[in-house]
Amino acid sequence: VAAIDMTAITLGQEQGGLTPEQIGDAALKSVVHLPHGFRNNVNTATGLKFRGVEPDGVAVSPDGSFAIVANESHQSAEHLQGFSVLDLRGGLQAIQAQTYSIFRIDPSLLENTGLTEVPAWDTTTYPTDANKLPRLDPTNVEIVKRGNQIVAALVIERYNPSAAQLAASPTFESQGSVLFLDVSDALNGNFEIIDRVPVGVSASSGL
């Protein structure tokens, strides 16, 4: 996630005489690296390949103290699907990130997988149980304040279940959904599920 100070861009343009590269260097305050470095079972020359999360949507809390990034993942690494909370209290140059699995936040997403918890990611061994997880791809997030609550609406795509998943459960969930979370204490890693609402129809994206 790139943290960019848009004020620096405005000032650079007003000042004049600066190249786009110079303005960009002044505006870029930090790059936040999200979890990566694990290995999966993609066939390569070495038999292993590095992959990480694929950040998609992002939203900033009303008071500007944190942001939430929706993390998709590669189709062979479903266990990394989730979101990251970016602590913005120290400014753009000192952002701290904590990442959470969507399956740990909402265990109902594990239904019909035969798993009681999401496999942990590892830097050396690919967890084969990750193959049992559905392809969700958290794709967008919005944050609003309602009364004393700060609420995040996280859009969850849902790809069509595999033949094996359908064989295991003919009622396998196939729709996308929106997960509503109370994120008032997100900076301390505390989330409360308000509701998860199925939306759309079964399709490649689910929404």
Side-chain angles (χ1 to χ4, degrees), residues 8-20 22-23:
I9 295 177
T10 301
L11 293 176
Q13 292 172 332
E14 292 176 348
Q15 178 179 340
L18 298 177
T19 66
Q22 290 172 321
I23 295 176

Side-chain angles (χ1 to χ4, degrees), residues 15 33-34 37 50-51 86 96 107 141 147-148 151 156 160 178 186 190 195 199:
Q15 178 179 340
H33 293 281
L34 302 179
F50 288 100
R51 295 200 185 276
L86 308 185
Q96 299 293 317
V141 60
N148 294 324
V151 178
I156 301 175
N160 285 331
V178 179
N190 296 318
D195 199 1
V199 294

